[in-house]
Amino acid sequence: MNILLKSVKILDPSNPGLHTKKRDILIKDGKIEKIAVKIDAENKITTIAKRNLHVSPGWFDGAVNFGEPGFEERETIANGLSTAAKSGFTDVVLNTGTNPVPDGSPDIAFLKNAGKGRATNLHPLGSLTVKSEGRDLAELYDMKNAGAIGFYDFKKPLSNGNLLKIALQYVQGFDGLVYSFPLDTQIAGKGNVNEGEVSTKLGLKGIPSLAEELQIVRDLFILEYTGGRLHIPTISTANSVKLISDAKRKGLNVSCSTAVHNLWHTDDTLKDFDSDYKTTPPLRNEKDIRALIKGVKDGTIDFVVTDHMPMNIERKKVEFDHAAYGTIGLESAFGALNSIFGAEATVDILTRGREYYALEKPEIKEGAMASISLFDPDETYIFAQEHINSTSKNSIFLNSELKGKVYGIINNGQLIF
């Protein structure tokens, strides 16, 4: 497909020669052929011209769930990747929250094959342990060779510290990336929201910040002993940011992420007992949000993820204590981040992270393959059901005022607009 983008504003901080400039961009057979102030349209070319159209290198989401296999009623891989494309993402990392979990090379091959031919690239994780049960390491080397870009027992903390030690030592032979979900289950107990004033008022069982931070301290001590690469996903507390910042200053090879909704909502939203606000880690308080935002800005938090987790209505519309965790987040991610950080910083945030998985970072330059996100950063709207493309509708951002409209992507020779 040949495409001409007319008078688009380029946001690409890594390319100072084009950053914030308005240009025409000609794309032929999936490659950027020409960038100029004015390019005349040719015959048989798709021309896109919209007021205030912006473009940037394609966005990256380091944590999504699609359900398939096993939970197709929540989301299929096909519709999940379509939703990601419409939300501006050219690359997504697929978590291991499926049934069965991907703990062998055939499982990774299935996921890679299911994502073939799509506009958005799918990069699967493999489970760290067999069946994600936390007892025996899975076939990490075989899964790496099959295309797994990291190893994670999705949302399941590894209680066996020795197993984490062995995993970090083992993967150094092939530069593998080990995930450890930050939660001490004994400290968390039966809690399901942030422990604090709100949980006390509502009579809900709380999860103290200590439950996250204690696990991080343990994991960082183990990493210091073993070496290797450790990723701590979706941190949520102010002290977690400090712990990881201190570890990085010591030279430890640790990375971390936080979820978009943990930058936006506090546990005050729980007052109506709406289970769409039930997430893991839980929504925290204003102090935590301020620290997380600062951590994103200064680079302590390496990248922000949607933590997109579709959940069928039967699992959400029940008593709060029995409701499933999770919220969808792809469709609302840009609008939320842009509202917090502004357009240029948001583009920087959404293009971070590929380096931790040895994925090529796209560029907007002549001769490069086109991997581009298209958006208008200035349109303000109330996020509603009509903006949801996911099969499941459990969005924590419903009725939130967001800033920034996404049009789609150009990637893998395809236009989703």
Side-chain angles (χ1 to χ4, degrees):
M1 176 180 285
N2 298 331
I3 303 164
L4 178 60
L5 301 175
K6 293 292 292 180
S7 192
V8 296
K9 187 171 183 178
I10 299 170
L11 293 187
D12 185 1
S14 67
N15 188 345
L18 288 175
H19 183 51
T20 73
K21 303 292 195 303
K22 275 195 172 183
R23 294 290 186 270
D24 290 358
I25 302 176
L26 177 62
I27 299 167
K28 286 190 173 181
D29 299 321
K31 184 179 289 188
I32 299 174
E33 183 171 281
K34 187 177 181 181
I35 302 174
V37 174
K38 187 175 187 301
I39 301 173
D40 293 327
E42 305 171 5
N43 292 330
K44 297 182 179 178
I45 195 165
T46 300
T47 300
I48 297 176
K50 290 188 77 71
R51 188 189 67 82
N52 203 39
L53 181 59
H54 287 55
V55 299
S56 76
W59 301 341
F60 172 81
D61 186 356
V64 301
N65 301 273
F66 292 150
E68 184 181 359
F71 304 112
E72 288 84 353
E73 74 279 7
R74 300 176 187 173
E75 191 68 279
T76 62
I77 289 174
N79 193 65
L81 290 175
S82 173
T83 298
K86 292 172 183 176
S87 303
F89 293 94
T90 58
D91 294 86
V92 296
V93 174
L94 185 64
N95 281 321
T96 58
T98 57
N99 185 23
V101 299
D103 59 2
S105 55
D107 305 311
I108 301 300
F110 166 80
L111 295 170
K112 293 282 287 184
N113 188 62
K116 274 185 180 177
R118 304 288 176 179
T120 296
N121 302 313
L122 181 148
H123 308 285
L125 296 171
S127 292
L128 183 63
T129 65
V130 175
K131 298 182 180 179
S132 289
E133 291 177 345
R135 290 197 291 266
D136 302 295
L137 288 184
E139 300 171 358
L140 306 186
Y141 181 69
D142 288 348
M143 286 193 289
K144 170 81 170 182
N145 288 339
I149 62 172
F151 308 105
Y152 182 25
D153 290 350
F154 176 63
K155 301 287 186 183
K156 293 182 178 180
L158 197 61
S159 60
N160 185 338
N162 188 55
L163 200 58
L164 177 62
K165 175 179 76 72
I166 293 169
L168 284 166
Q169 291 170 327
Y170 175 59
V171 300
Q172 290 177 51
F174 52 90
D175 196 30
L177 179 64
V178 172
Y179 279 58
S180 180
F181 184 64
L183 182 70
D184 184 307
T185 54
Q186 291 181 315
I187 298 292
K190 295 182 179 179
N192 51 31
V193 299
N194 180 52
E195 182 182 86
E197 182 179 339
V198 173
S199 66
T200 303
K201 285 181 178 179
L202 298 178
L204 294 171
K205 296 182 177 69
I207 301 174
S209 298
L210 177 66
E212 176 173 305
E213 296 152 7
L214 193 61
Q215 191 84 345
I216 289 175
V217 169
R218 184 207 71 168
D219 291 352
L220 292 175
F221 268 112
I222 292 172
L223 177 65
E224 187 171 13
Y225 176 81
T226 60
R229 294 199 299 141
L230 176 68
H231 181 69
I232 301 175
T234 57
I235 66 170
S236 66
T237 78
N239 201 34
S240 294
V241 178
K242 182 179 184 304
L243 289 167
I244 292 169
S245 177
D246 291 345
K248 288 185 172 186
R249 279 197 292 271
K250 289 173 69 174
L252 298 186
N253 196 347
V254 59
S255 58
C256 68
S257 66
T258 194
V260 177
H261 51 263
N262 282 107
L263 299 172
W264 185 272
H265 287 294
T266 68
D267 54 0
D268 284 332
T269 59
L270 299 172
K271 61 183 181 297
D272 295 325
F273 294 92
D274 185 341
S275 61
D276 282 345
Y277 295 92
K278 185 178 180 181
T279 63
T280 181
L283 302 175
R284 302 290 187 179
N285 59 40
E286 285 287 354
K287 177 187 174 184
D288 294 312
I289 286 183
R290 288 195 299 271
L292 291 170
I293 290 174
K294 183 175 182 294
V296 172
K297 289 179 176 178
D298 67 24
T300 299
I301 296 174
D302 299 277
F303 49 100
V304 178
V305 300
T306 66
D307 208 24
H308 180 79
M309 195 185 307
M311 191 60 61
N312 43 307
I313 192 170
E314 295 85 358
R315 299 290 312 281
K316 275 290 188 181
K317 298 305 177 185
V318 295
E319 297 90 341
F320 192 92
D321 280 348
H322 301 295
Y325 293 98
T327 173
I328 59 173
L330 283 167
E331 299 96 318
S332 50
F334 176 72
L337 289 173
N338 186 43
S339 300
I340 299 169
F341 297 99
E344 291 187 38
T346 295
V347 166
D348 175 62
I349 291 165
L350 289 174
T351 52
R352 293 183 196 173
R354 288 179 175 88
E355 59 271 26
Y356 297 99
Y357 305 96
L359 300 174
E360 186 176 352
K361 188 171 182 177
E363 298 178 274
I364 298 180
K365 67 178 185 179
E366 292 180 356
M369 296 303 296
S371 179
I372 294 172
S373 300
L374 305 104
F375 56 97
D376 174 355
D378 296 331
E379 183 172 330
T380 300
Y381 64 102
I382 302 298
F383 189 75
Q385 290 278 354
E386 66 193 68
H387 300 114
I388 296 177
N389 295 303
S390 302
T391 302
S392 297
K393 310 302 179 185
N394 55 304
S395 174
I396 203 170
F397 285 98
L398 283 171
N399 301 315
S400 295
E401 183 177 294
L402 305 181
K403 183 181 180 183
K405 179 178 182 179
V406 180
Y407 291 114
I409 62 171
I410 300 170
N411 195 47
N412 294 333
Q414 300 178 51
L415 169 67
I416 306 296
F417 188 80

